Amino acid sequence: MNDDLLGRHRAVLPDWLALYYDEPLEITHGEGRHVWDAQGNRYLDFFGGILTTTTAHALPEVTKAVTEQAGRIIHSSTLYLNRPMVDLAERIAQLSGIPDARVFFTTSGTEANDTALLLATAYRRSNTILAMRNSYHGRSFSAVGVTGNRGWSPTSLSPLQTLYVHGGVRGRGPFAHLDDYDFVAACVDDLKDLLGHTRPPAALIAEPIQGVGGFTSPPDGLYAAFREELHERGVLWISDEVQTGWGRTGEHFWGWQAHARSGPPDMLTFAKGIGNGMSIGGVVARAEIMNCLDANSISTFGGTQITMAAGLANLTYLLEHDLQGNARRVGGLLIERLRAAAAHVPAVREVRGRGLMIGIELTKPGTDEADPAAASAVLEAARAGGLLIGKGGGHDTSALRVAPPLSLNVAEAEEGAAILEDALRSIQ
């Protein structure tokens, strides 16, 4: 580790800017599903810069598109026509499933969710928002205000009145003992009761699979059942697809499609994987919602030419190589391999997820008590074995997060699973 770089980091950056590992890692370059640190150590990357390197590190098609665009023009702002932005917006609008869709580009998922909340509150003329317990929606003042995860919510102050709904976590809480059908029914009843005690909200914002929350999710169909209740009252549904989008779940291109009984959401937000590391976020909404603002607005850096060129190349590669299908096939094998390994580790409470979005929740053996120290120990042991993973969870960060690039092959999945199995066994 470069001690001088760590000292400089600590001297000039905020204390709350989290770093992984007892000896933080400087990643200098990557290729495919691997990255290298400043000491030349190679790692299999099962976290992809927090689900952002969605296809592969140093993907030649993206590198070429960025290089060629940089040689023409990098940026001009939204005050001028921008062909790459229009090209990518057309493709995303068509893929979104939202009728008469409009797309607004931002620079991050936080800013995308912030924009969706602005649109919803302006359209509905209400500042009441429904959000899910254990949720995470970003770092801005408004996004923190709808985040239901105490570990990522540094203030209770907010421009919004937020009401938190049951259902985002299947295996914990007052309804965990119910079967899926009764779980959904109980969550819907709770929502109906909540709606009866408040003025009509602007929207429900929900992650189909909670990312920072530890890759937890409700039974399929929950948000469709919520949507039916909300639609009757004119309440919008915002699907936060920052982590679930672009085929990562394998079964679907968007997370909302697991809850598709009542059709697409009114809005979806996206970021992370579309840029393969370039800073792209955005909102897709029906035209009447997107166009409801009655004041001028622009985005200086949202939709800039160089990021749009990267997004177009990355999306094209992802679709042409059926990386969603690969996530389903290889992810299914990886989940089964990890479940088999976890069966011999008493500290593993659950292995969950779908596609290449997999969570491993750790507790103190024989209890439901979260064990964040065990999660940190596994993170360190995996690194020592040559594997990078993440962690999260609503219960003191006791869940491991596994989310490799979607081009992961079977041999790499087996290699990573073997390293992770050894890391899990090391904490016994």
Side-chain angles (χ1 to χ4, degrees), residues 9-346:
H9 175 102
R10 289 174 171 164
V12 75
L13 297 172
D15 291 346
W16 42 259
L17 195 62
L19 285 168
Y20 273 174
Y21 306 115
D22 292 337
E23 294 187 0
L25 182 69
E26 180 191 1
I27 294 174
T28 58
H29 62 286
E31 181 179 346
R33 276 70 57 194
H34 291 87
V35 295
W36 284 258
D37 69 14
Q39 285 67 49
N41 299 307
R42 188 181 81 152
Y43 303 91
L44 186 57
D45 185 4
F46 269 28
F47 203 38
I50 318 178
L51 291 82
T52 299
T53 307
T54 198
T55 49
H57 289 282
L59 187 70
E61 289 82 352
V62 172
T63 301
K64 180 174 183 288
V66 169
T67 301
E68 290 180 351
Q69 183 60 55
R72 293 190 292 269
I73 187 168
I74 292 175
H75 165 78
S76 67
S77 90
T78 56
L79 290 171
Y80 305 93
L81 287 172
N82 178 333
R83 190 174 300 275
M85 181 169 67
V86 173
D87 289 343
L88 185 56
E90 287 174 340
R91 299 195 71 179
I92 292 174
Q94 187 273 325
L95 289 165
S96 74
I98 295 175
D100 195 21
R102 299 293 188 274
V103 182
F104 177 75
F105 288 106
T106 66
T107 60
S108 69
T110 290
E111 191 187 348
N113 285 330
D114 191 79
T115 302
L117 294 169
L118 168 65
L119 291 168
T121 53
Y123 181 78
R124 291 275 294 154
R125 304 201 62 77
S126 167
N127 76 329
T128 301
I129 297 293
L130 303 174
M132 305 304 295
R133 300 178 186 189
N134 195 51
S135 60
Y136 175 80
H137 298 289
R139 190 199 45 77
S140 70
F141 191 42
S142 69
V144 164
V146 296
T147 286
N149 185 316
R150 172 63 186 86
W152 292 88
S153 183
T155 177
S156 61
L157 301 174
S158 175
L160 304 166
Q161 178 184 24
T162 306
L163 305 173
Y164 292 101
V165 182
H166 282 295
V169 181
R170 178 65 183 91
R172 289 184 179 271
F175 306 142
H177 64 286
L178 301 174
D179 63 27
D180 283 356
Y181 179 86
D182 289 335
F183 180 93
V184 170
C187 291
V188 171
D189 286 344
D190 175 73
L191 174 64
K192 290 166 69 174
D193 182 69
L194 179 63
L195 291 170
H197 292 283
T198 185
R199 297 184 64 83
L204 165 72
I205 185 169
E207 306 156 273
I209 299 176
Q210 295 181 331
V212 168
F215 292 171
T216 61
S217 63
D220 288 356
L222 175 75
Y223 293 119
F226 278 5
R227 173 75 182 282
E228 291 169 4
E229 297 298 326
L230 299 172
H231 188 69
E232 290 182 4
R233 298 163 173 82
V235 181
L236 305 177
W237 172 26
I238 304 167
S239 185
D240 179 342
E241 302 277 354
V242 169
Q243 297 198 30
T244 50
W246 319 112
R248 177 162 289 280
T249 69
E251 296 176 22
H252 305 288
F253 194 75
W254 304 106
W256 69 260
Q257 291 169 315
H259 307 269
R261 184 176 74 211
S262 58
D266 299 289
M267 284 189 268
L268 69 82
T269 58
F270 62 85
K272 290 192 183 289
I274 181 61
N276 203 45
M278 297 294 282
S279 186
I280 306 175
V283 183
V284 188
R286 299 198 321 266
E288 63 179 308
I289 299 171
M290 186 68 81
N291 295 335
C292 75
L293 302 183
D294 61 0
N296 293 325
S297 192
I298 63 167
S299 180
T300 302
F301 289 108
T304 194
Q305 284 92 334
I306 197 164
T307 59
M308 296 295 96
L312 276 164
N314 195 48
L315 180 58
T316 298
Y317 184 92
L318 187 152
L319 294 172
E320 290 183 350
H321 291 79
D322 188 23
L323 295 194
Q324 177 186 334
N326 192 66
R328 181 178 65 253
R329 292 184 297 271
V330 179
L333 292 171
L334 182 56
I335 289 173
E336 290 308 310
R337 177 74 168 75
L338 292 174
R339 283 177 175 159
H344 305 288
V345 181

